[in-house]
Amino acid sequence: MANHGMRDRVAIVAMGCTPFRDHWNKSADDLLIDAVKESLQSSEGLELDDIDAFWVGTQGSGMAGVTLSKPLQLKGKPVTRVENYCATGSESFRNAAFAVASGAYDIVMATGVEKLKDSSFAGLTASWPPSDGTDINWTAPGAFSLLAPAYAHKYGLSEDQLREVLTHIAWKNHQNGVLNERAQFRSAVSKETITNAQKVAGPLGVFDCSGVSDGAVAAVIVRAEDAYKYTDRPIFLKGLSFVSGACDGAMTSSYDYTTFPEVAITARDVYDQAGITNPREELSLVECHDCFTPTELVLMEDLGLSNRGEAWKDVLNGTFDRMGEMPVNVDGGLKSFGHPIGATGLRMMFECWLQLRNEAGERQVPGATLAMAQNLGGQPGACVAFAAIFGKSLG
Amino acid sequence: MSANGISNYGAYLPSWKLTTTKFGAESFKLNSKQSRSVSYFDEDTVTMSVEASCCLKFQDSESCEVNVATATPTYLDKSPAASICEVIGAPSHTRAIDFHGLRSGASGLWNALSNHGISISADVRVSAPGSADELAVGDGSAMFDCRGDEFIASLLSSSSRTEEFLDRWRLPGESFISSWDDRFSIDIYVELITQVATDALAIAKLESTTRTVVSCPNPRAAALARKLLKSSGEDGELEKLIGFTGSAHLGLLICDALDQSEPGDTILAINAADGADAFVFEVTGHIKNKKQSHTVRQQAQTQHPIAYERYLRWRSLIDLRGPRRPEPDAPAAPPMWRRADWKYGLVASRCLKCETVCAPPARVCSNCGSIDTFVQHSMKDLGGTVASMTVDFLQPTLDPPMILAVIDVNGGGRRSAEVTDNPSGEIQVGEKLQPSFRKIHSSNGIHNYFWKVRPERTEGESHG
């Protein structure tokens, strides 16, 4: 029994990512076709038929592998549909990575898609199996809003201080989104607007919540030794970790809503695999799951980018700003992209792909060598957590 | 000593009252002569029956009869009594009987007294908005435990009459009470009431009683009958505070009389509807140990006044659009049945190896991982402390915004629950909350019940 890790075993050699939008004129099929087509174009001479096996992640935009094989008319190819809450896109990548690492296939594709805007509901919805009707049907903002007062209480922040911290996170990620043509929201939002926004749940206003959008992403993965056959600038997987929580935080009184224990475990695991001892110094950038502003705040500590109880100060000091010491969500994050569930995890990896290939244009982090994608699903006390680290070179 | 009587009792009035039927009223002070008791939007006759029955205790091996009365059944074909028995923990040998209509409170009580059973009555009364008697009807419930032989009130006599006439009626599916001109039935009611009173007093060999209470859907008939029977009028005063509570009214009036009684007092209680039923009780020395902690009067006087608009929304008499969220799913029959202990009894599990409480009950301990080494652990009488909470404006509810709390239950275990009956609209971390059985929602014609949490009901200061 051991976790042997995934350092330098696989590489991404091609990627495509649709703009994340209200795609009124595109179906999930269209979005997948767009993302796959763009990914193939990013590696010269790569044809769809070259791909041995496929994964598609979606929470509710399709069932089974035919979600991908039908729109792309894949004949005789294995396609697996995966779902793992809001980490569904990452789960698609994770399984595809294992498939090439095992030697079962030479070249595989991980895709993720979500078509949310064909529903007119506010926020995310889900279908659950028939039940006894005793579970609270938490809304996402309701569940994640529990983090904010708990954090403020534990570390002695006043209501105004907490507001200032959350506002900074939203303000920063919207600023970053301005520079990204694929983002759903590309306007800077003033701190005043964020602070005074209509409340959604607890202290969370509209601008503390990520939006709802449509999008799809595709990545082509091969074994590390084959990477340069497909591109001169592959990105190499340095570590890969996933934890599915026991949901005991929601059942036992020891959990205090100021951390995601599942995330902290994946962070330690993925740093070990990548040989990272000081993530804040060694990582060039971090893409994290900023579904709500307090989520990003707590994640900074769970990922070891801030000491416990100090992330709020680092946020206010600009540590995680695009030009700061440790850029977080330089692409704009869920805040600017919205959260098409099956696509989000792969969208984070797409930013790692651009940054490590020096293709991020105006928002390029100079000299980026190591990037992290951190994606989670569920809710505080009951979540699933994913983390991956990518590097621009082997070794 | 009579062989029949009441050994324990419980009354429940919801936490709210309506004092005005004016839109946009700035003051809810009781400036009119009448106010009505209002159940919260998540209450119905099943949940209020449970509230009135919270003091009931059962032996597992007991054969028991539970008589449930209401004019507002939650289902027509399905027995509300079965749901109530599951929640109150009645043993499996229980015979559960449903009574229907405005006379049902008296019928259920008579049955319980005759068979040493339990009588529960509850009603939610709704008059059409704008009608003259909108504040004259109200919501509430009452329970009488007639088991055992240590009676707090022995039954001395009873008497009944039956007569067919049209006064109050309602078709299945109709929301509002229909009534004929009150003047028509006054004389009919008064004659029925005086006849059964005379008969019952004669059997009991009494000329008068310490207290006389009259329950009648026609308030003018009730007032006249009280006068003729030389009642002190306290039953009428209570009715002006809470409204006529339908099938629960007789029970609430008897509970109120018991609240005030001393050993040796006698009570004449009459219910008039489609005839009349009279009961004469003699209060015994056991009353001293069984008086309820919150009397009917205290409950009536601490009800919190609400705006007319809020009342109309709770009863779905105005449809205000909420957030754009999907309708909640209806619960499914097999999981509800499989998990009845949890759903209705709030029975969690406690690990035999490490004592950790898991809620909902779990076969694998959340602390030590032991498999299938647990015992049942009831939480329905256990309060808890708010570990975390949020106000969720995105949740559809008839009384927005919804407050959700994470509760660390006394004795172990944590669960999340919707906060109910919270007049302040606020909840603090560290606050103590109590479980309360409520209707979570109704979807596809199926009611979904479960346990919410509420601030402790206190005797508090009057909101009158």
Side-chain angles (χ1 to χ4, degrees):
Chain A
M1 288 208 312
N3 176 357
H4 297 292
M6 288 288 282
R7 179 177 178 153
D8 287 338
R9 298 173 71 168
V10 304
I12 300 176
V13 295
M15 276 198 96
C17 177
T18 69
F20 281 28
R21 295 278 187 276
D22 297 334
H23 281 295
W24 306 120
N25 64 344
K26 289 195 185 214
S27 63
D29 289 1
D30 294 324
L31 294 165
L32 279 169
I33 293 165
D34 287 353
V36 169
K37 191 169 146 194
E38 188 189 354
S39 74
L40 294 172
Q41 286 165 351
S42 73
S43 173
E44 208 184 323
L46 187 61
E47 301 280 343
L48 191 57
D49 201 44
D50 297 337
I51 313 288
D52 300 317
F54 298 80
W55 277 257
V56 58
T58 186
Q59 188 238 13
S61 298
M63 302 267 281
V66 297
T67 303
L68 188 71
S69 57
K70 187 178 172 195
L72 285 163
Q73 284 300 297
L74 303 172
K75 310 254 203 271
K77 300 280 188 180
V79 184
T80 308
R81 179 239 171 171
V82 297
E83 185 281 329
N84 225 330
Y85 281 169
C86 296
T88 292
S90 299
E91 188 64 10
S92 171
F93 170 81
R94 183 168 158 266
N95 286 275
F98 288 149
V100 279
S102 75
Y105 301 109
D106 289 333
I107 177 166
V108 299
M109 180 180 278
T111 67
V113 66
E114 213 69 51
K115 176 70 202 172
L116 295 175
K117 299 299 291 191
D118 281 355
S119 135
S120 79
F121 292 126
L124 301 177
T125 60
S127 305
W128 299 97
S131 79
D132 66 358
T134 64
D135 284 338
I136 291 267
N137 188 12
W138 289 92
T139 63
F144 281 88
S145 72
L146 298 177
L147 297 168
Y151 185 92
H153 175 74
K154 186 167 183 179
Y155 299 117
L157 278 70
S158 69
E159 225 169 278
D160 287 347
Q161 281 175 315
L162 173 69
R163 185 61 262 165
E164 198 185 346
V165 172
L166 301 182
T167 294
H168 189 101
I169 292 169
W171 170 83
K172 167 193 69 113
N173 290 349
H174 275 299
Q175 286 277 333
N176 292 348
V178 171
L179 301 177
N180 195 334
E181 69 279 3
R182 285 182 173 85
Q184 180 185 23
F185 301 116
R186 299 201 59 204
S187 305
V189 183
S190 76
K191 288 187 176 175
E192 191 188 358
T193 302
I194 295 165
T195 301
N196 298 324
Q198 189 190 344
K199 289 284 175 281
V200 177
L204 305 187
V206 170
F207 285 97
D208 291 302
C209 308
S210 62
V212 176
S213 63
D214 305 322
V217 191
V220 178
I221 304 149
V222 300
R223 279 185 299 282
E225 64 262 32
D226 296 334
Y228 290 102
K229 291 184 197 164
Y230 298 93
T231 174
D232 56 352
R233 283 171 298 161
I235 69 170
F236 296 94
L237 184 63
K238 297 290 178 182
L240 179 69
S241 185
F242 188 84
V243 167
S244 181
C247 307
D248 48 334
M251 291 169 68
T252 49
S253 52
S254 54
Y255 178 63
D256 72 357
Y257 290 92
T258 64
T259 173
F260 299 97
E262 300 90 342
V263 172
I265 295 167
T266 58
R268 280 196 298 275
D269 180 18
V270 83
Y271 294 149
D272 278 353
Q273 292 179 37
I276 288 173
T277 52
N278 186 337
R280 185 150 146 184
E281 272 184 17
E282 295 172 62
L283 290 170
S284 312
L285 64 134
V286 169
E287 288 290 305
C288 82
H289 195 86
D290 59 324
C291 54
F292 300 93
T293 50
T295 318
E296 179 166 324
L297 172 66
V298 165
L299 285 174
M300 294 305 95
E301 296 180 9
D302 286 334
L303 297 177
L305 304 175
S306 289
N307 292 325
R308 288 280 167 205
E310 292 180 7
W312 67 278
K313 291 180 199 159
D314 293 337
V315 166
L316 293 178
N317 289 338
T319 303
F320 308 119
D321 292 0
R322 187 169 59 83
M323 306 298 278
E325 180 192 340
M326 173 75 267
V328 171
N329 290 329
V330 282
D331 67 345
L334 280 79
K335 193 77 269 278
S336 299
F337 268 83
H339 182 27
I341 301 161
T344 289
L346 281 158
R347 186 268 303 157
M348 295 168 168
M349 296 177 212
F350 184 71
E351 182 66 6
C352 299
W353 162 261
L354 293 178
Q355 291 282 354
L356 295 172
R357 287 160 58 90
N358 204 23
E359 289 177 346
E362 273 187 279
R363 64 178 191 285
Q364 179 65 44
V365 175
T369 53
L370 274 180
M372 181 179 203
Q374 183 279 325
N375 187 200
L376 69 81
Q379 62 189 72
C383 81
V384 298
F386 169 92
I389 292 174
F390 297 93
K392 69 185 297 181
S393 50
L394 279 169
Chain B
M1 188 79 179
S2 158
N4 304 85
I6 296 166
S7 56
N8 202 356
Y9 73 109
Y12 173 77
L13 289 174
S15 296
W16 313 88
K17 70 177 166 190
L18 186 66
T19 60
T20 177
T21 53
K22 288 195 176 74
F23 286 97
E26 285 175 11
S27 167
F28 311 134
K29 290 271 180 215
L30 188 53
N31 47 19
S32 65
K33 285 186 196 158
Q34 182 77 54
S35 58
R36 62 155 293 162
S37 166
V38 177
S39 51
Y40 202 35
F41 73 89
D42 57 3
E43 294 186 281
D44 64 16
T45 52
V46 165
T47 68
M48 288 199 296
S49 292
V50 169
E51 295 277 9
S53 307
C54 61
C55 65
L56 285 176
K57 301 272 182 277
F58 296 93
Q59 311 282 339
D60 280 347
S61 54
E62 189 181 347
S63 288
C64 181
E65 181 182 286
V66 176
N67 302 279
V68 170
T70 184
T72 319
T74 50
Y75 289 108
L76 293 180
D77 287 10
K78 181 177 157 41
S79 158
S83 310
I84 294 162
C85 284
E86 187 71 41
V87 185
I88 65 178
S92 51
H93 284 89
T94 298
R95 177 189 290 122
I97 306 173
D98 290 283
F99 292 87
H100 169 64
L102 288 182
R103 194 174 190 174
S104 61
S107 311
L109 176 58
W110 191 87
N111 231 40
L113 286 164
S114 304
N115 301 332
H116 298 271
I118 291 162
S119 157
I120 309 170
S121 55
D123 248 329
V124 176
R125 304 291 289 165
V126 184
S127 281
S131 58
D133 66 343
E134 205 175 355
L135 290 176
V137 292
D139 309 335
S141 58
M143 182 283 299
F144 298 102
D145 186 354
C146 303
R147 294 173 298 171
D149 52 12
E150 284 198 356
F151 299 131
I152 59 169
S154 299
L155 179 69
L156 299 185
S157 66
S158 64
S159 170
S160 292
R161 301 250 169 162
T162 297
E163 185 159 338
E164 163 58 28
F165 60 105
L166 186 70
D167 171 45
R168 258 52 173 187
W169 71 96
R170 195 155 46 93
L171 289 174
E174 266 185 4
S175 302
F176 305 130
I177 304 158
S178 298
S179 62
W180 204 265
D181 178 357
D182 271 359
R183 293 170 61 83
F184 157 65
S185 58
I186 294 175
D187 291 346
I188 301 172
Y189 277 126
V190 169
E191 189 171 348
L192 285 164
I193 291 167
T194 49
Q195 282 170 340
V196 294
T198 306
D199 291 350
L201 287 172
I203 300 167
K205 299 189 173 61
L206 291 174
E207 287 190 3
S208 66
T209 51
T210 321
R211 288 182 182 78
T212 300
V213 297
V214 175
S215 165
C216 176
N218 180 334
R220 298 169 73 170
L224 186 55
R226 284 168 191 146
K227 210 169 161 185
L228 289 171
L229 294 173
K230 298 188 171 54
S231 150
S232 68
E234 287 183 346
D235 51 347
E237 284 168 24
L238 180 65
E239 194 169 312
K240 283 197 163 59
L241 277 175
I242 65 173
F244 173 74
T245 54
S247 65
H249 206 60
L250 172 72
L252 280 166
L253 295 181
I254 296 174
C255 290
D256 180 46
L258 288 170
D259 283 340
Q260 301 172 54
S261 287
E262 299 294 329
D265 285 0
T266 49
I267 300 168
L268 168 62
I270 300 159
N271 189 75
D274 304 293
D277 301 285
F279 303 84
V280 178
F281 296 101
E282 181 176 3
V283 178
T284 77
H286 293 298
I287 186 78
K288 288 179 178 169
N289 308 320
K290 292 289 175 63
K291 287 215 173 167
Q292 51 179 353
S293 54
H294 298 327
T295 65
V296 176
R297 296 284 161 151
Q298 283 165 345
Q299 293 186 52
Q301 282 159 2
T302 51
Q303 287 181 314
H304 192 86
I306 51 167
Y308 188 45
E309 297 88 313
R310 209 169 165 205
Y311 161 78
L312 292 173
R313 192 173 190 185
W314 291 0
R315 294 286 91 86
S316 296
L317 299 176
I318 47 173
D319 185 9
L320 294 177
R321 277 299 125 108
R324 290 197 328 265
R325 296 292 295 170
E327 274 288 299
D329 292 333
M336 283 199 286
W337 176 76
R338 264 193 321 263
R339 300 249 291 178
D341 285 345
W342 169 243
K343 185 175 180 67
Y344 299 103
L346 204 59
V347 176
S349 61
R350 182 164 47 80
C351 178
L352 285 170
K353 293 207 170 146
C354 74
E355 295 293 313
T356 297
V357 174
C358 286
R363 290 183 59 196
V364 181
C365 174
S366 69
N367 180 54
C368 74
S370 297
I371 301 175
D372 289 336
T373 57
F374 62 89
V375 289
Q376 292 201 322
H377 176 81
S378 173
M379 286 181 158
K380 75 174 178 179
D381 297 321
L382 298 175
T385 307
V386 178
S388 187
M389 55 78 61
T390 193
V391 181
D392 194 340
F393 294 89
L394 206 54
Q395 288 277 11
T397 165
L398 289 178
D399 195 31
M402 185 185 287
I403 300 182
L404 294 163
V406 179
I407 308 295
D408 285 338
V409 180
N410 298 343
R414 167 179 281 189
R415 70 184 191 97
S416 302
E418 188 179 335
V419 177
T420 187
D421 271 356
N422 180 34
S424 76
E426 290 180 359
I427 288 291
Q428 307 296 329
V429 169
E431 193 169 337
K432 308 284 182 200
L433 299 177
Q434 300 293 324
S436 180
F437 186 74
R438 298 293 166 126
K439 187 165 75 182
I440 305 295
H441 57 73
S442 298
S443 294
N444 287 339
I446 299 172
H447 301 309
N448 184 30
Y449 294 100
F450 192 51
W451 295 82
K452 296 187 179 180
V453 286
R454 66 159 174 232
E456 192 150 11
R457 276 161 73 95
T458 56
E459 287 161 33
E461 66 183 67
S462 165
H463 297 289

